């Protein structure tokens, strides 16, 4: 007697890898667009901000990055990482904007950063201390010379490899290592090592700002998220 075939278990879109998400996005699947943005927002925002040293401009770069990427998904080659492809687009957009800036633009203006999106709830005194430390660190990173700041954010904040950083910036790996070493030394001189444990929490981009950017991108693409159950 033939055994009945077990029904195929439905695959949750949240469990798909980037290549599968790209396939779905090419079919204008709203959930796929949403998840691609959600997965890569933090890295791309930090890199755009490292180039431009401005929160609002970094968010504008992210929107243009996603619009460009989603309109050219057919150009993505699965043998490359989606994160690398998106990062290259982000760098090109950010560097292009920087070149177009007028000399009067105050590139050192620093706005208050939102609190990190975290499940950890510190007590009020600790939360206040951590927020102040983070502000000091973000200010110190923003004050780094640009070529050091970009490498520092890519390597120590986003934890990208030396090889990927070199590839994206068009540098030799040794140059990346040298710039990272000098960036760390400058930060140590400014902060005296006391902030080393909070590097990975700098320049958060999540929660409401992240959701607003995602919605804006999807609106421009004409993609609706109504009735989608994405968490």
């Amino acid at each position: 007697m033939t055994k009945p075939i077990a029904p195929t278990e439905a695959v949750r879109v949240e469990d798909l890898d980037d290549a599968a998400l790209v396939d779905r996005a090419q079919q204008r699947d709203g959930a796929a667009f949403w998840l691609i943005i959600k997965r890569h927002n933090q890295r791309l925002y930090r890199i755009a901000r490292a180039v431009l040293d401005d929160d609002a401009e970094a968010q504008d770069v992210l929107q243009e990055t996603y619009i460009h990427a989603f309109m050219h998904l057919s150009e993505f080659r699965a043998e490359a990482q989606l994160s690398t492809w998106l990062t290259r687009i982000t760098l090109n957009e950010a560097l292009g904007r920087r070149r177009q800036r007028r000399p009067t633009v105050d590139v050192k203006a620093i706005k208050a950063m939102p609190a990190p999106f975290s499940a950890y709830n510190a007590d009020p005194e600790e939360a206040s201390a951590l927020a102040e430390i983070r502000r000091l660190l973000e200010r110190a990173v923003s004050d780094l010379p640009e070529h050091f700041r970009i490498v520092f954010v890519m390597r120590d904040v986003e934890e990208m490899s030396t090889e990927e950083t070199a590839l994206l910036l068009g540098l030799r790996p040794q140059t990346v290592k040298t710039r990272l070493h000098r960036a760390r030394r400058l930060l140590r001189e400014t902060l005296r090592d006391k902030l080393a444990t909070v590097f990975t929490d700098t320049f958060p981009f999540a929660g409401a700002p992240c959701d607003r950017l995602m919605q804006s991108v999807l609106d421009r693409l004409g993609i609706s998220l109504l009735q989608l159950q994405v968490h």
Side-chain angles (χ1 to χ4, degrees), residues 119-150:
Y120 173 67
N121 295 316
D123 63 70
E125 184 176 351
E126 182 181 359
S128 177
L130 289 174
E132 179 60 26
I133 289 172
R134 189 164 46 251
R135 282 192 292 270
L136 289 172
L137 176 59
E138 288 169 350
R139 191 174 300 116
V141 173
S142 290
D143 287 342
L144 285 172
E146 180 185 290
H147 52 290
F148 293 157
R149 183 175 67 241
I150 295 172

Side-chain angles (χ1 to χ4, degrees), residues 161-179:
S161 69
T162 298
E163 291 72 22
E164 185 178 11
T165 302
L167 176 65
L168 288 167
L169 296 178
L171 301 171
R172 295 185 298 110
Q174 185 57 47
T175 301
V176 169
K177 293 177 181 178
T178 299
R179 291 185 182 182

Side-chain angles (χ1 to χ4, degrees), residues 7-190:
T8 302
E9 184 178 346
V11 177
R12 299 194 317 153
V13 66
E14 294 94 335
D15 296 332
L16 297 175
D17 62 17
D18 283 339
L21 285 177
V22 169
D23 288 341
R24 289 203 179 196
Q26 288 179 311
Q27 301 172 37
R28 298 185 67 77
D29 182 326
F33 284 114
W34 191 92
L35 282 170
I36 289 172
I37 294 172
K38 189 74 172 178
R39 286 181 182 178
H40 300 283
N41 247 1
Q42 183 74 89
R43 168 190 279 199
L44 302 184
Y45 171 77
R46 284 170 165 172
I47 289 173
R49 196 187 185 288
V51 174
L52 296 166
D53 200 18
D54 182 274
D55 301 336
E57 280 199 279
Q59 293 189 40
D60 288 345
V61 164
L62 257 65
Q63 287 202 46
E64 295 307 318
T65 293
Y66 289 125
I67 294 299
H68 177 91
F70 291 151
M71 292 179 66
H72 297 83
L73 284 173
S74 61
E75 298 176 10
F76 173 67
R77 298 293 176 262
E79 60 267 18
Q81 289 189 339
L82 182 60
S83 60
T84 299
W85 187 63
L86 292 173
T87 299
R88 185 173 289 111
I89 296 172
T90 300
L91 278 171
N92 288 339
E93 177 68 25
L95 291 169
R97 281 174 177 261
R98 190 189 63 189
R99 287 193 293 269
Q100 294 171 7
R101 278 175 166 172
R102 296 192 302 177
T104 54
V105 173
D106 181 8
V107 298
K108 290 297 180 183
I110 300 175
K111 301 177 182 178
M113 301 296 292
F117 185 71
S118 172
Y120 173 67
N121 295 316
D123 63 70
E125 184 176 351
E126 182 181 359
S128 177
L130 289 174
E132 179 60 26
I133 289 172
R134 189 164 46 251
R135 282 192 292 270
L136 289 172
L137 176 59
E138 288 169 350
R139 191 174 300 116
V141 173
S142 290
D143 287 342
L144 285 172
E146 180 185 290
H147 52 290
F148 293 157
R149 183 175 67 241
I150 295 172
V151 168
F152 175 81
V153 169
M154 294 175 75
R155 288 285 291 111
D156 273 4
V157 179
E158 274 306 302
E159 299 181 337
M160 297 169 63
S161 69
T162 298
E163 291 72 22
E164 185 178 11
T165 302
L167 176 65
L168 288 167
L169 296 178
L171 301 171
R172 295 185 298 110
Q174 185 57 47
T175 301
V176 169
K177 293 177 181 178
T178 299
R179 291 185 182 182
L180 178 61
H181 173 75
R182 292 179 179 175
R184 288 170 174 169
R185 185 182 65 190
L186 288 171
L187 287 175
R188 282 197 299 271
E189 292 172 355
T190 302

